[in-house]
Amino acid sequence: MHGIGDVTAGDDLVELIAAAAPWLADGDVLVVTSKIVSKAEGNLVEVPADGPERDAARAATLAAETARVVARRGPTTIVQTHHGFVMAAAGIDASNVDKTHLVLLPADPDASARSLRAGFRARGLDVAVIISDTMGRAWRNGLTDVALGAAGIPPFRDHRGETDPYGNELQITQMAVIDELSAAGELVKGKVDNVPVAVVRGYLKATATDGPGAAPLLRDAESDMFSLGTAEARAAGLRDAAQLPDTLQHDHPAPPVDPEAVQRALETVATHLSRTTTVTPAEPSATNAVALHLQTRDTTAAGLIRLGADAHRLRAALAAESVTSIPLPHDDGIRLELSGAAE
Amino acid sequence: MHGIGDVTAGDDLVELIAAAAPWLADGDVLVVTSKIVSKAEGNLVEVPADGPERDAARAATLAAETARVVARRGPTTIVQTHHGFVMAAAGIDASNVDKTHLVLLPADPDASARSLRAGFRARGLDVAVIISDTMGRAWRNGLTDVALGAAGIPPFRDHRGETDPYGNELQITQMAVIDELSAAGELVKGKVDNVPVAVVRGYLKATATDGPGAAPLLRDAESDMFSLGTAEARAAGLRDAAQLPDTLQHDHPAPPVDPEAVQRALETVATHLSRTTTVTPAEPSATNAVALHLQTRDTTAAGLIRLGADAHRLRAALAAESVTSIPLPHDDGIRLELSGAAE
């Protein structure tokens, strides 16, 4: 859709879009670039045009938009925003705006989509609205557009419970159709031609309620297998090793220990223990079925200190295999009581 | 595109598609579901229809298709395939095929795309071909279709060096257009209706050479900030702690130490050290400007063992801050010589 021109705070986007596309029809899906929504809603911050002051203002804006840092490498910071989006630089954008402003994401993209849809309804036009933005992703080069907000269109097409022509129940459950529509919209919008709205016709049979918006597309960090960058998670593992608890964190009876996991841990440290350290199975105790005993042939102070470090190495290797260990140092070495991972 | 019907090994896909869509024209982009390409190429494995034998055959197939495991949680295994794709279950699919077969990804999707394109050219038709499949992604619920292979269409639209109407040079560099075209194609294909090909008309102005295919979309693990699942990377960090080297891994002069990083490490372990352990700055040595000294008031064997474990806790915390430490145990405690991270 050409001819929307520059958008500024307070502009009536519905009026601008309707004027540029008098041919809009019921059932059309409007894919609206988030930037013009932010601009119309005045969701910008003023920043110095250049110099270190600009960098500082940008950093402060990023910090304000960040709920948690997901990953950092060189100049790239990937964060989860307060909305829940995982995006480079929190989606803050310095393009298609004058040099003294940064454009933030819309404060509530689903609400913005509902508001635009209501505006079209007030003009007698029953359309669905998707608010889209450009995002990177893990594992694949290049960016694609996805949906930040939506109204009048379900976010997913759900295949659960359906069967294919061979009678197999479909395992693929939910297609993120509003993300796919955003991607399709991007193909026709382009980045430099002032075409901030695309129209998809023929996809939606009928719009009904506003629906759940795009929020269901957000995966919470808890259920995300990639909630942290690899380097960040690795550093967290090192911190876990620094903070291994010395007392039991779970209820008795202790979860059982996988002997293969213990074997893998012993292999992990095999070439990293002092040559004076020996590891042997220890007698079970009343509370723990599996225990290891570490001793040293070097009973000088330095030798005993090395033994303690070796015991902690082994504890870290066990923790990597989800085996919990309780250290019991005594005059003849150190006993590690093992249990499976606490739930 | 309806009417392709069931595809089996040896079928001529070009003939099937051309017969189903006699209206195809030069410049059309054909988005072809990878499954029919695999079937036509015979890239299936035979498996028992049910029982533990089927599970075992599935696991063996997954292992064969896996270059490395990226993440595992419950029944879900995300791997990098030998092609370089990061996909759940290596893209192996049991849907839209009879119960005694599993469909693998095409062996070389770019080659398959080139071959299909050549087939259409031989019929006097100049089209681009994208071979697409459904993938999950980090951070967002729902699946989208992306490109596994391509011919006759550039994988990216590149905005580098362009400026927006405000004179800002565009930072967004490369749009993954063949992924966006795959997503657009999925919207019209559906999953259960035997519609394995979508045609996008009007996007491509002219096809030229086969081009680089979809391979440039693959991000190598080295440059990927999410090359491992969070839990897996965290376990790797614990293993790093188990294997911290005791001797210097980098050349002199040692990289300088960030005092704030040391402070953060001390805070990490603060409540986790024995109450009898003290940490104090130590005199610099000839080779190391920054060193710490750990001592214990408890000079029993058990106390010295605890001191050794505490020293290793601190070493892990320092490593999490990219500070390398060399442990020098002696009769009066343990000295840690610190340096910045090796490159």
Side-chain angles (χ1 to χ4, degrees):
Chain A
M1 186 183 300
H2 285 268
I4 293 211
D6 201 20
V7 174
T8 53
D11 278 353
D12 183 342
L13 272 191
V14 172
E15 195 177 300
L16 290 176
I17 294 169
W23 41 265
L24 281 177
D26 286 352
D28 284 351
V29 179
L30 272 64
V31 182
V32 183
T33 301
S34 78
K35 185 165 298 167
I36 65 167
V37 177
S38 295
K39 283 175 153 186
E41 294 177 352
N43 215 15
L44 298 87
V45 289
E46 219 178 321
V47 291
D50 47 36
E53 296 81 6
R54 179 181 175 86
D55 295 341
R58 255 187 112 129
T61 307
L62 175 54
E65 295 294 300
T66 296
R68 68 180 188 94
V69 174
V70 170
R72 235 190 272 269
R73 188 183 286 190
T76 304
T77 306
I78 297 172
V79 308
Q80 187 156 29
T81 68
H82 297 294
H83 321 79
F85 302 117
V86 175
M87 291 177 81
I92 300 163
D93 203 339
S95 68
N96 287 294
V97 67
D98 71 82
K99 288 180 200 301
T100 63
H101 287 91
L102 299 175
V103 185
L104 309 180
L105 297 185
D108 181 347
D110 278 336
S112 302
R114 287 193 297 271
S115 162
L116 289 175
R117 179 166 185 254
F120 284 105
R121 280 182 94 99
R123 291 173 169 260
L125 211 51
D126 189 8
V127 297
V129 174
I130 295 173
I131 294 174
S132 71
D133 207 340
T134 303
M135 283 194 200
R137 57 261 170 95
W139 316 322
R140 292 176 72 76
N141 294 314
L143 309 169
T144 63
D145 270 22
V146 299
L148 301 186
I153 182 166
F156 298 117
R157 190 178 69 238
D158 201 327
H159 292 290
R160 282 177 294 192
E162 293 175 33
T163 53
D164 67 21
Y166 296 85
N168 303 303
E169 194 168 321
L170 286 180
Q171 299 298 311
I172 286 172
T173 51
Q174 297 185 306
M175 296 304 299
V177 290
I178 58 175
D179 278 354
E180 295 190 317
L181 286 161
S182 298
E186 197 282 326
L187 291 167
V188 302
K189 284 191 296 185
K191 288 287 164 203
V192 285
D193 301 315
N194 269 332
V195 186
V197 183
V199 178
V200 179
R201 181 163 292 176
Y203 177 75
L204 204 60
K205 274 158 196 84
T207 62
T209 60
D210 282 332
L217 291 178
L218 296 178
R219 185 175 292 164
D220 59 300
E222 182 73 6
S223 69
D224 195 339
M225 291 161 82
F226 299 88
S227 60
L228 269 183
T230 300
E232 287 71 16
R234 211 157 169 158
L238 282 162
R239 258 175 238 117
D240 291 342
Q243 300 183 327
L244 289 176
D246 282 347
T247 52
L248 215 55
Q249 303 296 299
H250 53 73
D251 293 337
H252 284 286
V257 177
D258 173 5
E260 287 182 26
V262 176
Q263 199 49 47
R264 285 194 298 272
L266 288 169
E267 280 160 26
T268 298
V269 295
T271 61
H272 295 270
L273 302 185
S274 311
R275 264 164 297 177
T276 47
T277 294
T278 57
V279 186
T280 50
E283 290 296 310
S285 69
T287 50
N288 272 79
V290 184
L292 295 171
H293 196 207
L294 282 80
Q295 282 176 293
T296 179
R297 290 189 300 275
D298 175 3
T299 53
T300 64
L304 291 164
I305 290 169
R306 276 194 205 95
L307 177 63
D310 283 348
H312 203 77
R313 282 186 188 275
L314 179 52
R315 293 190 65 204
L318 288 162
E321 305 291 343
S322 301
V323 175
T324 301
S325 59
I326 303 303
L328 300 171
H330 51 79
D331 279 350
D332 189 33
I334 177 166
R335 175 183 168 94
L336 298 181
E337 300 212 333
L338 310 189
S339 50
E343 283 307 294
Chain B
M1 187 184 299
H2 287 267
I4 293 210
D6 200 20
V7 174
T8 53
D11 279 352
D12 183 342
L13 272 191
V14 172
E15 195 177 299
L16 290 176
I17 294 170
W23 41 264
L24 281 177
D26 286 353
D28 284 351
V29 180
L30 272 64
V31 182
V32 182
T33 302
S34 78
K35 185 164 300 166
I36 64 166
V37 176
S38 296
K39 283 175 153 187
E41 293 177 352
N43 216 14
L44 298 87
V45 290
E46 220 178 319
V47 291
D50 45 37
E53 295 81 6
R54 180 181 175 84
D55 295 341
R58 255 189 112 128
T61 307
L62 175 54
E65 295 294 300
T66 296
R68 69 180 187 95
V69 174
V70 171
R72 237 191 272 267
R73 187 182 286 190
T76 305
T77 307
I78 297 172
V79 308
Q80 187 156 29
T81 69
H82 297 293
H83 321 78
F85 302 117
V86 176
M87 291 178 81
I92 300 163
D93 202 340
S95 68
N96 287 294
V97 67
D98 72 81
K99 287 181 202 303
T100 63
H101 287 92
L102 299 175
V103 185
L104 309 181
L105 298 185
D108 181 346
D110 278 336
S112 303
R114 286 193 298 270
S115 161
L116 289 175
R117 180 167 184 251
F120 285 105
R121 280 183 95 99
R123 290 172 170 259
L125 210 52
D126 189 8
V127 298
V129 174
I130 295 173
I131 295 174
S132 70
D133 206 339
T134 303
M135 283 192 198
R137 57 260 170 97
W139 319 320
R140 294 176 72 77
N141 293 314
L143 308 169
T144 63
D145 271 22
V146 300
L148 301 186
I153 181 167
F156 298 117
R157 190 178 67 239
D158 201 326
H159 292 289
R160 281 176 294 192
E162 293 177 32
T163 52
D164 68 22
Y166 296 86
N168 304 301
E169 194 169 321
L170 286 179
Q171 299 298 312
I172 286 173
T173 52
Q174 296 186 307
M175 296 304 299
V177 290
I178 58 175
D179 278 353
E180 295 190 317
L181 285 161
S182 298
E186 196 283 324
L187 290 167
V188 302
K189 284 190 297 186
K191 286 289 164 202
V192 285
D193 301 316
N194 269 332
V195 186
V197 183
V199 178
V200 179
R201 181 163 292 173
Y203 176 74
L204 204 59
K205 274 153 198 86
T207 62
T209 60
D210 283 332
L217 291 178
L218 297 178
R219 187 176 290 164
D220 61 299
E222 182 75 5
S223 69
D224 195 338
M225 292 161 82
F226 299 89
S227 60
L228 269 184
T230 300
E232 286 72 15
R234 209 157 170 158
L238 281 162
R239 258 175 239 116
D240 291 342
Q243 301 183 326
L244 288 176
D246 282 347
T247 52
L248 215 54
Q249 304 294 299
H250 53 72
D251 292 339
H252 284 285
V257 177
D258 173 5
E260 286 181 26
V262 176
Q263 199 50 46
R264 286 195 298 271
L266 289 169
E267 280 159 25
T268 298
V269 295
T271 62
H272 295 271
L273 301 185
S274 311
R275 264 164 298 177
T276 46
T277 294
T278 55
V279 185
T280 49
E283 291 297 310
S285 70
T287 50
N288 271 78
V290 184
L292 295 171
H293 196 206
L294 282 80
Q295 283 176 293
T296 179
R297 289 188 300 275
D298 176 4
T299 53
T300 64
L304 291 164
I305 290 169
R306 275 195 204 93
L307 177 63
D310 283 348
H312 203 77
R313 282 186 189 276
L314 179 52
R315 293 191 66 203
L318 288 161
E321 306 291 342
S322 300
V323 175
T324 301
S325 58
I326 302 304
L328 301 171
H330 52 78
D331 279 349
D332 189 33
I334 177 167
R335 175 183 169 94
L336 298 182
E337 300 211 333
L338 310 189
S339 51
E343 281 310 292

